[in-house]
Coordinates of all heavy atoms in Angstrom, one line a residue:
E27 N -1.5 -25.3 -68.9 CA -0.5 -25.9 -69.9 C 0.5 -24.8 -70.3 O 1.7 -25.1 -70.3 CB -1.2 -26.4 -71.1 CG -2.1 -27.6 -70.9 CD -3.2 -27.8 -72.0 OE1 -3.1 -27.1 -73.0 OE2 -4.0 -28.7 -71.8
E28 N 0.1 -23.6 -70.7 CA 1.0 -22.6 -71.1 C 1.7 -22.0 -69.9 O 2.9 -21.5 -70.1 CB 0.2 -21.5 -71.9 CG -0.4 -22.0 -73.2 CD 0.7 -22.4 -74.2 OE1 1.7 -21.7 -74.3 OE2 0.6 -23.5 -74.7
G29 N 1.1 -21.9 -68.8 CA 1.7 -21.3 -67.6 C 2.9 -22.1 -67.2 O 3.9 -21.6 -66.6
A30 N 2.9 -23.4 -67.4 CA 4.0 -24.3 -67.1 C 5.2 -24.0 -68.0 O 6.4 -24.3 -67.6 CB 3.6 -25.8 -67.2
K31 N 5.0 -23.5 -69.2 CA 6.0 -23.3 -70.1 C 6.6 -21.8 -70.1 O 7.7 -21.6 -70.5 CB 5.5 -23.5 -71.6 CG 5.0 -24.9 -71.8 CD 4.4 -24.9 -73.2 CE 3.4 -26.0 -73.4 NZ 2.7 -25.9 -74.8
N32 N 5.7 -20.9 -69.6 CA 6.0 -19.5 -69.7 C 5.7 -18.8 -68.4 O 4.6 -18.6 -68.0 CB 5.1 -18.9 -70.8 CG 5.5 -17.4 -71.1 OD1 6.2 -16.8 -70.3 ND2 4.9 -16.9 -72.1
N33 N 6.8 -18.4 -67.7 CA 6.7 -17.8 -66.4 C 6.1 -16.4 -66.5 O 5.8 -15.8 -65.4 CB 8.0 -17.8 -65.7 CG 8.5 -19.1 -65.2 OD1 7.6 -20.0 -64.9 ND2 9.8 -19.4 -65.2
D34 N 6.0 -15.8 -67.7 CA 5.5 -14.5 -67.8 C 4.0 -14.4 -67.9 O 3.4 -13.3 -68.0 CB 6.1 -13.8 -69.1 CG 7.5 -13.3 -68.9 OD1 7.9 -13.1 -67.7 OD2 8.3 -13.3 -69.9
I35 N 3.3 -15.6 -68.0 CA 1.9 -15.6 -68.0 C 1.3 -15.4 -66.6 O 1.7 -16.1 -65.7 CB 1.3 -16.9 -68.6 CG1 1.6 -17.0 -70.1 CG2 -0.2 -17.1 -68.3 CD1 1.2 -18.3 -70.7
V36 N 0.5 -14.3 -66.5 CA -0.2 -14.0 -65.3 C -1.7 -13.9 -65.5 O -2.1 -13.6 -66.6 CB 0.3 -12.7 -64.6 CG1 1.8 -12.9 -64.2 CG2 0.1 -11.5 -65.6
V37 N -2.5 -14.2 -64.5 CA -3.9 -14.3 -64.7 C -4.6 -13.4 -63.6 O -4.3 -13.5 -62.4 CB -4.4 -15.7 -64.6 CG1 -6.0 -15.8 -64.7 CG2 -3.8 -16.6 -65.7
F38 N -5.6 -12.7 -64.1 CA -6.5 -11.9 -63.2 C -7.9 -12.4 -63.2 O -8.4 -12.8 -64.2 CB -6.4 -10.4 -63.6 CG -5.2 -9.7 -63.3 CD1 -4.0 -9.8 -64.0 CD2 -5.1 -8.8 -62.2 CE1 -2.8 -9.2 -63.7 CE2 -3.9 -8.1 -61.9 CZ -2.8 -8.3 -62.7
D39 N -8.5 -12.3 -62.0 CA -10.0 -12.7 -61.9 C -10.7 -11.7 -61.0 O -10.0 -11.0 -60.2 CB -10.1 -14.1 -61.5 CG -11.4 -14.8 -62.1 OD1 -12.5 -14.3 -61.8 OD2 -11.3 -15.7 -62.9
A40 N -12.0 -11.8 -61.0 CA -12.8 -10.9 -60.1 C -13.8 -11.7 -59.3 O -15.0 -11.6 -59.5 CB -13.5 -9.8 -61.0
D41 N -13.2 -12.5 -58.4 CA -14.0 -13.2 -57.4 C -14.8 -14.4 -58.1 O -15.8 -14.8 -57.5 CB -15.0 -12.3 -56.7 CG -15.5 -12.9 -55.4 OD1 -14.7 -13.5 -54.6 OD2 -16.7 -12.9 -55.1
L42 N -14.4 -14.8 -59.3 CA -15.2 -15.8 -60.0 C -14.2 -16.9 -60.5 O -14.6 -17.6 -61.5 CB -16.0 -15.2 -61.1 CG -17.2 -14.4 -60.7 CD1 -17.8 -13.7 -61.9 CD2 -18.3 -15.3 -60.1
A43 N -13.1 -17.1 -59.9 CA -12.1 -18.1 -60.4 C -12.6 -19.5 -60.6 O -12.2 -20.2 -61.5 CB -10.9 -18.0 -59.5
T44 N -13.5 -19.9 -59.7 CA -14.1 -21.3 -59.8 C -14.9 -21.4 -61.1 O -14.9 -22.3 -61.8 CB -14.9 -21.7 -58.6 OG1 -14.0 -21.6 -57.4 CG2 -15.5 -23.0 -58.7
A45 N -15.8 -20.4 -61.3 CA -16.7 -20.4 -62.4 C -15.9 -20.1 -63.7 O -16.3 -20.8 -64.7 CB -17.7 -19.3 -62.2
T46 N -15.0 -19.3 -63.8 CA -14.2 -19.0 -65.0 C -13.2 -20.0 -65.3 O -12.6 -20.0 -66.4 CB -13.6 -17.6 -65.0 OG1 -12.6 -17.6 -63.9 CG2 -14.6 -16.5 -64.7
Q47 N -12.9 -20.9 -64.3 CA -11.9 -22.0 -64.4 C -10.5 -21.5 -64.3 O -9.6 -22.3 -64.5 CB -12.1 -22.8 -65.7 CG -13.5 -23.4 -65.8 CD -13.7 -24.6 -64.9 OE1 -13.0 -25.5 -64.8 NE2 -14.8 -24.5 -64.1
T48 N -10.3 -20.2 -63.9 CA -8.9 -19.8 -63.7 C -8.4 -20.3 -62.4 O -7.2 -20.2 -62.1 CB -8.8 -18.2 -63.7 OG1 -9.5 -17.7 -62.6 CG2 -9.3 -17.6 -65.0
K49 N -9.3 -20.9 -61.6 CA -8.8 -21.5 -60.3 C -7.8 -22.6 -60.6 O -6.9 -22.9 -59.8 CB -10.1 -22.2 -59.6 CG -9.7 -22.8 -58.3 CD -11.0 -23.4 -57.7 CE -10.7 -24.0 -56.3 NZ -11.9 -24.6 -55.7
M50 N -7.9 -23.3 -61.8 CA -6.9 -24.3 -62.1 C -5.5 -23.7 -62.1 O -4.5 -24.3 -61.6 CB -7.2 -24.8 -63.5 CG -8.5 -25.6 -63.7 SD -8.5 -26.3 -65.4 CE -10.2 -26.7 -65.5
F51 N -5.4 -22.5 -62.7 CA -4.1 -21.8 -62.8 C -3.7 -21.3 -61.4 O -2.5 -21.4 -61.0 CB -4.2 -20.6 -63.7 CG -2.9 -19.9 -63.9 CD1 -2.1 -20.2 -65.0 CD2 -2.5 -18.8 -63.1 CE1 -0.9 -19.6 -65.2 CE2 -1.4 -18.1 -63.4 CZ -0.5 -18.5 -64.4
A52 N -4.6 -20.8 -60.6 CA -4.3 -20.4 -59.2 C -3.8 -21.5 -58.4 O -2.9 -21.2 -57.5 CB -5.6 -19.8 -58.6
E53 N -4.3 -22.7 -58.5 CA -3.8 -23.8 -57.7 C -2.4 -24.2 -58.1 O -1.6 -24.6 -57.2 CB -4.8 -25.0 -57.9 CG -6.1 -24.7 -57.2 CD -7.1 -25.8 -57.6 OE1 -6.9 -26.6 -58.5 OE2 -8.2 -25.9 -56.9
K54 N -2.0 -24.1 -59.4 CA -0.7 -24.5 -59.8 C 0.3 -23.3 -59.6 O 1.5 -23.6 -59.3 CB -0.7 -24.8 -61.3 CG -1.5 -26.1 -61.6 CD -0.7 -27.3 -61.2 CE -1.4 -28.6 -61.6 NZ -0.6 -29.8 -61.2
F55 N -0.1 -22.1 -59.9 CA 0.8 -21.0 -59.9 C 0.2 -19.8 -59.0 O -0.2 -18.8 -59.6 CB 1.1 -20.5 -61.3 CG 1.4 -21.6 -62.2 CD1 0.5 -22.1 -63.2 CD2 2.7 -22.2 -62.2 CE1 0.8 -23.1 -64.0 CE2 3.0 -23.3 -63.0 CZ 2.1 -23.7 -64.0
P56 N 0.1 -20.0 -57.7 CA -0.6 -19.0 -56.9 C 0.0 -17.6 -56.9 O -0.7 -16.6 -56.8 CB -0.5 -19.6 -55.5 CG 0.6 -20.6 -55.5 CD 0.6 -21.1 -56.9
N57 N 1.3 -17.5 -57.2 CA 2.0 -16.2 -57.2 C 1.8 -15.5 -58.5 O 2.2 -14.3 -58.6 CB 3.5 -16.4 -57.0 CG 3.9 -16.9 -55.6 OD1 3.1 -16.7 -54.6 ND2 5.0 -17.7 -55.5
R58 N 1.2 -16.1 -59.5 CA 0.9 -15.5 -60.7 C -0.6 -15.3 -61.0 O -1.0 -15.0 -62.1 CB 1.6 -16.2 -61.9 CG 3.1 -16.1 -61.9 CD 3.7 -16.6 -63.2 NE 3.9 -18.1 -63.1 CZ 3.8 -18.9 -64.1 NH1 3.4 -18.5 -65.3 NH2 4.1 -20.2 -63.9
H59 N -1.4 -15.6 -60.0 CA -2.9 -15.4 -60.1 C -3.3 -14.3 -59.1 O -3.0 -14.4 -57.9 CB -3.6 -16.7 -59.8 CG -5.1 -16.7 -60.0 ND1 -5.9 -16.2 -59.0 CD2 -5.8 -17.0 -61.0 CE1 -7.2 -16.2 -59.4 NE2 -7.1 -16.7 -60.6
F60 N -4.1 -13.4 -59.6 CA -4.5 -12.2 -58.8 C -6.0 -12.1 -58.8 O -6.6 -11.8 -59.8 CB -3.9 -10.9 -59.4 CG -2.4 -10.9 -59.4 CD1 -1.7 -11.4 -60.5 CD2 -1.6 -10.5 -58.3 CE1 -0.3 -11.4 -60.6 CE2 -0.2 -10.6 -58.4 CZ 0.4 -11.0 -59.5
D61 N -6.6 -12.4 -57.7 CA -8.0 -12.3 -57.5 C -8.3 -10.9 -57.0 O -8.0 -10.6 -55.8 CB -8.6 -13.4 -56.6 CG -10.1 -13.5 -56.7 OD1 -10.8 -12.4 -56.9 OD2 -10.6 -14.6 -56.7
M62 N -9.0 -10.1 -57.8 CA -9.2 -8.7 -57.4 C -10.5 -8.4 -56.7 O -10.9 -7.3 -56.4 CB -9.2 -7.8 -58.7 CG -8.0 -7.9 -59.5 SD -6.5 -7.5 -58.6 CE -6.7 -5.7 -58.4
G63 N -11.3 -9.5 -56.4 CA -12.6 -9.4 -55.7 C -13.6 -8.8 -56.7 O -13.4 -8.8 -57.9
I64 N -14.7 -8.4 -56.1 CA -15.8 -7.9 -57.0 C -15.5 -6.5 -57.3 O -16.1 -5.5 -56.8 CB -17.2 -8.1 -56.3 CG1 -17.4 -9.5 -55.8 CG2 -18.3 -7.7 -57.2 CD1 -18.6 -9.7 -54.9
S65 N -14.6 -6.4 -58.2 CA -14.0 -5.0 -58.6 C -13.5 -5.1 -60.0 O -12.3 -5.0 -60.3 CB -13.0 -4.6 -57.6 OG -12.5 -3.3 -57.9
E66 N -14.4 -5.3 -61.0 CA -14.0 -5.6 -62.4 C -13.2 -4.4 -63.0 O -12.2 -4.6 -63.7 CB -15.2 -5.9 -63.2 CG -15.8 -7.2 -62.9 CD -16.8 -7.2 -61.7 OE1 -17.0 -6.1 -61.2 OE2 -17.3 -8.3 -61.3
Q67 N -13.6 -3.2 -62.7 CA -12.9 -2.0 -63.3 C -11.5 -2.0 -62.7 O -10.5 -1.7 -63.5 CB -13.7 -0.7 -62.9 CG -15.1 -0.6 -63.5 CD -16.1 -1.0 -62.5 OE1 -15.9 -1.9 -61.6 NE2 -17.3 -0.3 -62.5
D68 N -11.3 -2.2 -61.5 CA -10.0 -2.2 -60.9 C -9.2 -3.4 -61.5 O -8.0 -3.2 -61.7 CB -10.1 -2.4 -59.3 CG -8.8 -2.3 -58.6 OD1 -7.9 -1.6 -59.1 OD2 -8.7 -2.8 -57.5
M69 N -9.8 -4.5 -61.7 CA -9.1 -5.6 -62.3 C -8.5 -5.3 -63.6 O -7.4 -5.6 -63.9 CB -10.0 -6.8 -62.4 CG -9.3 -8.0 -63.1 SD -10.5 -9.4 -63.4 CE -11.4 -8.7 -64.8
V70 N -9.4 -4.7 -64.5 CA -8.9 -4.3 -65.8 C -7.8 -3.3 -65.8 O -6.7 -3.4 -66.5 CB -10.1 -3.8 -66.7 CG1 -9.6 -3.2 -68.0 CG2 -11.1 -4.9 -67.0
G71 N -7.9 -2.3 -64.9 CA -6.8 -1.3 -64.8 C -5.5 -1.9 -64.3 O -4.5 -1.6 -64.9
T72 N -5.6 -2.7 -63.3 CA -4.4 -3.3 -62.7 C -3.8 -4.3 -63.7 O -2.6 -4.4 -63.9 CB -4.8 -4.1 -61.4 OG1 -5.4 -3.2 -60.5 CG2 -3.5 -4.6 -60.7
A73 N -4.7 -5.1 -64.4 CA -4.2 -6.0 -65.4 C -3.5 -5.3 -66.5 O -2.4 -5.8 -67.1 CB -5.3 -6.9 -65.9

């Protein structure tokens, strides 16, 4: 909902997008969703 209004919203996940439900965002805005794999520390630093 917010991603459709705001192009500055980006989402990071760590190989759990289906479980965390960020997959919804990834399907709508693939260029603003970053799946970092099983690498949570890297995800936080990059985010």
Side-chain angles (χ1 to χ4, degrees):
E27 292 163 7
E28 293 300 311
K31 305 175 199 172
N32 185 352
N33 290 329
D34 284 333
I35 290 180
V36 296
V37 178
F38 285 78
D39 210 298
D41 198 47
L42 289 169
T44 299
T46 63
Q47 300 290 303
T48 68
K49 183 180 179 181
M50 296 185 196
F51 186 88
E53 290 172 346
K54 291 285 186 180
F55 313 105
N57 293 332
R58 288 189 274 146
H59 184 276
F60 302 90
D61 196 322
M62 305 300 292
I64 306 174
S65 181
E66 291 80 6
Q67 297 98 325
D68 187 26
M69 178 188 72
V70 171
T72 307

